[in-house]
Amino acid sequence: MKAKSLVVANWKMNKSYVPGIMLLNQIISALDPLPEGQEMVICPPYIHLQTAQTLTKDRFDVYIGAQNCHVQKEGAYTGEISAPMLADLDIKYVILGHSERRRDFGENGKMLTAKLKQVLRQNLQPIYCFGEPLQVRKDGQEQAFVEQQLQEVLGQLSPQQMEQVVLAYEPIWAIGTGQTASPEEAEAMHAFIRSYLAKTFSEELAQKITILYGGSCKPSNASALFAQPNINGALVGGASLNADDFLAIVEAGREKL
Ligand code: 13P
């Protein structure tokens, strides 16, 4: 089995309810069915999830994801949303470990391992994000840094659990900066990630895992990124808030992935 290709929208904390649902409608109504093995995923804020799920439930190429969830199943955690609540809505994916959450909410490897396991217990698919800050890349330590972020979380999973995980390499210096990793820089890291998976699990499993690139992905650079053999799609922030731009990235994926 080959890794599936995903183009994932991370709306972050953008779009209130009505503009968000309008954007989703604009995107899905313009999208011709994707070939087997390719999916478009939209991760809006929590308030959109139920409507978004209803609007996309008859499409086999469009799925909805959440941007986070709590580590516990239920309880006295004011303001939080649990993985079982997302599973109840038939949400398919949950982004975990985004650098903005590591930075702003102190999420670390131990916490993220527990979150991944909770999400997997609910039969949801985690999209596990990781990536190095600028200084680490300047120091030439990016592979060691990423290996640590992989090992402290993925190293705690069984092969069966790992098969359900999507990975997203998002170098922090490329997020929201307009500065994308070059296709060669991104491919070098993606090849490194796949070799980590082969070493830790097996070559067969490594080939099945979807590895997304994230960080200033836009229509002008998507095709070159998707042409790289170890890049299976993208996690898109800013450009996913515009229907034409996001659809252009999805179309680049249709051609290349
Ligand atoms: P940008 O595409 O805005 O750089 O954001 C990337 C990202 O953080 C997606 O999760």
Side-chain angles (χ1 to χ4, degrees):
M1 200 186 80
K2 210 170 132 264
K4 66 185 168 185
S5 308
L6 303 181
V7 177
V8 183
N10 177 8
W11 288 1
K12 308 189 179 182
M13 197 174 70
N14 293 295
K15 299 286 172 192
S16 56
Y17 184 74
V18 171
I21 296 306
M22 281 168 64
L23 174 61
L24 176 66
N25 266 324
Q26 227 183 327
I27 292 169
I28 53 180
S29 61
L31 181 74
D32 289 330
L34 291 170
E36 211 186 317
Q38 285 193 16
E39 294 175 15
M40 181 179 92
V41 181
I42 308 283
C43 303
Y46 288 129
I47 59 161
H48 302 77
L49 287 177
Q50 186 177 11
T51 309
Q53 177 58 25
T54 305
L55 289 172
T56 54
K57 70 177 188 324
D58 295 331
R59 289 203 61 152
F60 293 98
D61 52 352
V62 181
Y63 292 93
I64 302 301
Q67 297 175 18
N68 177 42
C69 69
H70 196 266
V71 63
Q72 299 294 341
K73 267 175 78 174
E74 62 184 357
Y77 302 100
T78 302
E80 292 295 319
I81 300 285
S82 71
M85 291 174 184
L86 299 174
D88 246 16
L89 290 184
D90 276 339
I91 299 302
K92 185 168 179 183
Y93 295 100
V94 186
I95 296 173
L96 292 175
H98 194 282
S99 61
E100 289 151 14
R101 293 203 59 86
R102 293 180 192 255
R103 178 195 69 199
D104 298 340
F105 299 95
E107 295 195 354
N108 57 26
K110 191 162 172 250
M111 159 70 66
L112 291 168
T113 303
K115 282 196 180 194
L116 254 84
K117 288 186 176 176
Q118 182 63 266
V119 159
L120 289 164
R121 272 197 290 279
Q122 309 308 323
N123 293 318
L124 295 158
Q125 286 192 252
I127 301 176
Y128 176 59
C129 303
F130 50 88
E132 79 285 357
L134 183 59
Q135 193 56 48
V136 169
R137 180 158 283 262
K138 281 188 174 159
D139 294 344
Q141 294 301 311
E142 66 273 13
Q143 291 191 347
F145 187 92
V146 162
E147 179 158 9
Q148 152 102 19
Q149 286 186 318
L150 296 175
Q151 181 57 24
E152 65 190 1
V153 173
L154 308 182
Q156 317 306 314
L157 302 182
S158 68
Q160 291 71 24
Q161 288 173 316
M162 185 64 225
E163 271 195 47
Q164 301 306 315
V165 179
V166 171
L167 300 180
Y169 169 58
E170 297 206 304
I172 295 174
W173 47 272
I175 296 178
T177 59
Q179 189 193 343
T180 324
S182 69
E184 296 72 28
E185 283 170 329
E187 170 60 20
M189 183 59 87
H190 281 232
F192 174 74
I193 295 162
R194 215 175 289 285
S195 70
Y196 164 83
L197 293 171
K199 177 179 80 178
T200 309
F201 297 95
S202 67
E203 182 58 41
E204 195 196 346
L205 191 141
Q207 294 303 325
K208 288 188 203 167
I209 302 297
T210 298
I211 310 176
L212 308 177
Y213 168 78
S216 299
C217 182
K218 42 192 180 240
S220 58
N221 59 28
S223 294
L225 287 163
F226 295 164
Q228 303 300 318
N230 285 293
I231 298 182
N232 305 117
L235 181 53
V236 186
S240 74
L241 297 171
N242 176 290
D244 291 342
D245 285 354
F246 187 61
L247 283 163
I249 297 171
V250 175
E251 290 306 316
R254 188 198 299 274
E255 285 163 28
K256 304 277 184 183
L257 293 171

